[in-house]
Amino acid sequence: MPNIRTRLLVVLVVLFGSLSVAGPAPATAAPLPDSLWFDETPLTVHNGRFVDGNGREVVLRGYNVSGETKLKENNGLPFASTADAKKSATALRALGGGNSVRFLLSWAYAEPVRGQVDTTYLAKATDQMRAFLDAGIRVYPDFHQDLYSRWLFDPDSWYTGDGAPKWAVDLGDYPDEYCGICPFWGQNITSNEAVKQSTYDFWHNGYGLQDAFLDTAQKTMTYLRQNLTADRFAGVVGFDPYNEPHAGSYDSGQTSRSWERDVLWPFYEKFRARMDAAGWQDKPLFAEPNLFWNANLDFQKQEGGLLDAGTLSPRYVFNTHFYDQKAISGIFMWGKAADGQYAGDFGTVRDRAAATGTAAIISEFGHPLTGSVSDKAPTVYKAMYQSLDSRVKGASWWSNPAGSGPVLSGSQWQWDIYNGRHHELMNDNPDNVQTSGDAWNGEDLSAVRLDDSGSPVLRQDARLLDRIYPSATSGTTVAFTYEDRSRDGSTTLTWNPVPGSLPNVAQLVGSGQYGLLLWRSDSGTAPTELHLPATFPNASTTVVSDLGTAYAPPSYGSATPVGVAAEPGGTGSRRLLLTDTDSGVLHYALVTNGATAPSAALLTAARSELSAWAARNAG
């Protein structure tokens, strides 16, 4: 777009953004329960990492909240009530170990009538989002879509979609939906002409659809900013404009790569301008590449990954998804996932983010928990979390920690407390009521459900989900690993055993879980933080660090180099806080629950081994 047109667009959106959809911003709220002086600062992007107001590298871990937004039963909201949102947020923090969520929103319910934003919907969504922010959970909203819109599909269809409003579908003379031989719902993306043509129209602004979406997005962001207190708005990380973008159909001579360059990226630039006009200038846009850029089936893979976007400013984040299509197919991968299974796939994400000069997040990953391939789930999830932590597989980690790369942020799909309890009239068909699983196209991926008493309980191994991870590192992360000892049936999966060359460390860890962080200090004043899972109660936690050793670490204090504290939000979750006072020094911290009242001699011997190992392998 010529510069004069760009300037005109910015002027127009700024003027448009001045049209308020709510009153003035609320006053600043009281601090979160259990918060400390270094908490609750907004995140930005710096040197390819998320950083907080204290300059610490931040890792976001959590879940998508939730696929319920894709259903009609609660009118495009993640929860039936704010009370359910609060219950879910508390459980996500305490049971799931999350510090962030990708919060799904629906264009269809935000703008049910063209040009008219439903402020009742936005108010309910904001209340539910506030429940997570008040639990100390950071949020990045996502305008979600799959297969463009549910209103493309017939009442007796095998499939459904979500995203665009009915009026948007009514504008187009789209053919009757038909996918042919499509055992997986995602095949509609490339096989269903109704989906392909409507998606094409959106990207080419047919009927002014993209303009309408951008208008609604700006009004939504303005509403959120005006109806969240300043402290709560600081917990909103950024915005994900469009889930899993795909061209629908390519123009003659167009490739997936040129589509990203000429169609998708200009859309992100327009959305970025709308964010600025809505008062989100300091928050990044979470930009997703072409959906199939990192597919692990060769016949589905398409060139992409924002290859022509150049070096992104801190106003953008490289945001992608990953599902093991081979494992999900049940055909192309017969066995289970193994140590290092996704090191290459997640390494590619790290490389693309580094090439674009920004932070990375894998905002969706997962695997079915029921069905014919669900037996792979324990190993697939373990391998995915392993590769979020490090690009080096467990068997090689102790000999090559420096090859780990940055710890990746990620949001598992998904956290839906209504799993197995839905009552969704699929495509408004009263004779096709979906109750099982996620109630959407046969999926069942929720990590949580409600028990008979109405309390949230995990559907996956808590050892896998509630993990040690470096939520904030004061300095530069050098390497991190976590051995969760999660189970595949009755088998304990240990992919990263302590090597025999470190006998005292191995004795200390025993058969327990452990995490090990190496970082280089930078004169920061705030401590390094590690999330402590529920399996690490204080009486079972041992820390061995160059900063000191501790069994049952003391409470955090300014003069305590190794201490524990509650995580902000008052949900009962805890963190380990490690304080250094130098710059450019390599530090390490081993955290394990494998020891029972270890002797001072064992702690000293383990510390000596780790110091020599760290100097030799990462110094």
Side-chain angles (χ1 to χ4, degrees), residues 9-311:
L9 173 63
V10 172
V11 169
L12 288 173
V13 297
V14 169
L15 287 174
F16 187 82
S18 67
L19 301 177
S20 177
V21 295
T28 299
L32 289 176
D34 300 323
S35 61
L36 298 171
W37 65 267
F38 43 81
D39 294 322
E40 298 185 77
T41 60
L43 298 189
T44 55
V45 176
H46 181 68
N47 288 337
R49 306 289 190 274
F50 291 107
V51 297
D52 66 10
N54 302 292
R56 300 180 299 174
E57 293 182 356
V58 170
V59 172
L60 300 173
R61 290 288 176 87
Y63 304 84
N64 281 262
V65 178
S66 73
E68 174 72 23
T69 300
K70 298 157 68 167
L71 308 181
K72 191 177 181 180
E73 63 183 5
N74 284 327
N75 294 317
L77 291 166
F79 302 98
S81 65
T82 300
D84 277 1
K86 291 179 179 178
K87 177 191 295 187
S88 190
T90 300
L92 188 147
R93 194 77 154 136
L95 299 179
N99 67 357
S100 60
V101 293
R102 182 175 183 239
F103 190 97
L104 274 60
L105 297 170
S106 171
W107 178 21
Y109 293 93
E111 190 186 7
V113 177
R114 184 166 192 169
Q116 297 181 26
V117 171
D118 186 346
T119 54
T120 299
Y121 171 79
L122 295 184
K124 291 179 178 180
T126 303
D127 280 344
Q128 294 184 10
M129 190 179 299
R130 192 178 290 117
F132 287 85
L133 295 167
D134 288 349
I137 297 170
R138 296 186 187 271
V139 172
Y140 59 107
D142 153 51
F143 260 123
H144 208 80
Q145 73 81 36
D146 294 283
L147 310 184
Y148 190 66
S149 175
R150 72 191 305 272
W151 283 281
L152 287 172
F153 292 85
D154 299 327
D156 59 352
S157 176
W158 288 3
Y159 301 109
T160 190
D162 68 283
K166 184 178 185 299
W167 61 261
V169 172
D170 291 343
L171 289 171
D173 185 20
Y174 302 122
D176 192 45
E177 54 91 7
Y178 177 70
C179 191
I181 302 175
C182 290
F184 303 106
W185 69 261
Q187 293 173 260
N188 283 270
I189 297 169
T190 55
S191 299
N192 188 326
E193 282 299 320
V195 173
K196 292 168 63 177
Q197 291 181 28
S198 56
T199 302
Y200 179 93
D201 281 350
F202 175 85
W203 292 118
H204 292 80
N205 201 28
Y207 312 105
L209 288 167
Q210 191 176 120
D211 288 341
F213 174 81
L214 291 169
D215 288 348
T216 296
Q218 182 178 332
K219 292 175 182 177
T220 298
M221 289 185 286
T222 300
Y223 187 95
L224 289 171
R225 178 180 58 79
Q226 293 179 339
N227 288 275
L228 291 171
T229 63
D231 288 344
R232 286 172 175 140
F233 190 57
V236 178
V237 182
F239 208 104
D240 184 348
Y242 195 93
N243 179 67
E244 298 182 352
H246 184 262
S249 298
Y250 293 117
D251 289 324
S252 177
Q254 191 176 53
T255 65
S256 56
R257 179 170 178 171
S258 63
W259 177 80
E260 277 194 352
R261 181 192 66 212
D262 299 334
V263 178
L264 181 61
W265 189 252
F267 166 76
Y268 286 145
E269 291 182 313
K270 294 174 187 176
F271 200 99
R272 177 69 264 180
R274 299 302 185 112
M275 291 178 69
D276 295 348
W280 292 52
Q281 299 94 326
D282 298 328
K283 301 182 185 295
L285 181 152
F286 285 58
E288 296 190 39
N290 169 21
L291 164 63
F292 296 117
W293 82 278
N294 62 341
N296 70 345
L297 287 172
D298 290 342
F299 61 84
Q300 282 197 331
K301 193 166 188 174
Q302 298 179 6
E303 187 179 26
L306 306 180
L307 292 169
D308 300 298
T311 300

Side-chain angles (χ1 to χ4, degrees), residues 554-608:
S555 296
Y556 167 76
S558 59
T560 306
V562 178
V564 295
E567 288 179 315
T571 55
S573 54
R574 296 165 55 253
R575 52 185 162 169
L576 177 70
L577 299 172
L578 305 162
T579 304
D580 60 68
T581 57
D582 44 40
S583 179
V585 176
L586 180 69
H587 296 286
Y588 65 84
L590 171 80
V591 191
T592 182
N593 58 6
T596 301
S599 67
L602 178 58
L603 293 176
T604 299
R607 183 179 183 183
S608 178

Side-chain angles (χ1 to χ4, degrees), residues 415-429:
W415 191 271
D416 174 17
I417 62 173
Y418 307 116
N419 177 270
R421 293 171 175 256
H422 293 284
H423 190 83
E424 173 72 0
L425 277 62
M426 185 171 174
N427 299 318
D428 297 320
N429 185 347

Side-chain angles (χ1 to χ4, degrees), residues 461-514:
D461 189 342
R463 289 166 291 232
L464 171 75
L465 298 183
D466 190 11
R467 311 174 61 80
I468 290 179
Y469 59 92
S471 51
T473 301
S474 184
T476 302
T477 302
V478 175
F480 174 72
T481 191
Y482 181 55
E483 179 50 76
D484 56 45
R485 312 276 192 183
S486 57
R487 309 289 202 272
D488 180 11
S490 60
T491 302
T492 298
L493 301 173
T494 301
W495 291 351
N496 193 357
V498 178
S501 58
L502 302 171
N504 292 290
V505 176
Q507 180 182 343
L508 190 68
V509 169
S511 61
Q513 299 167 296
Y514 78 87

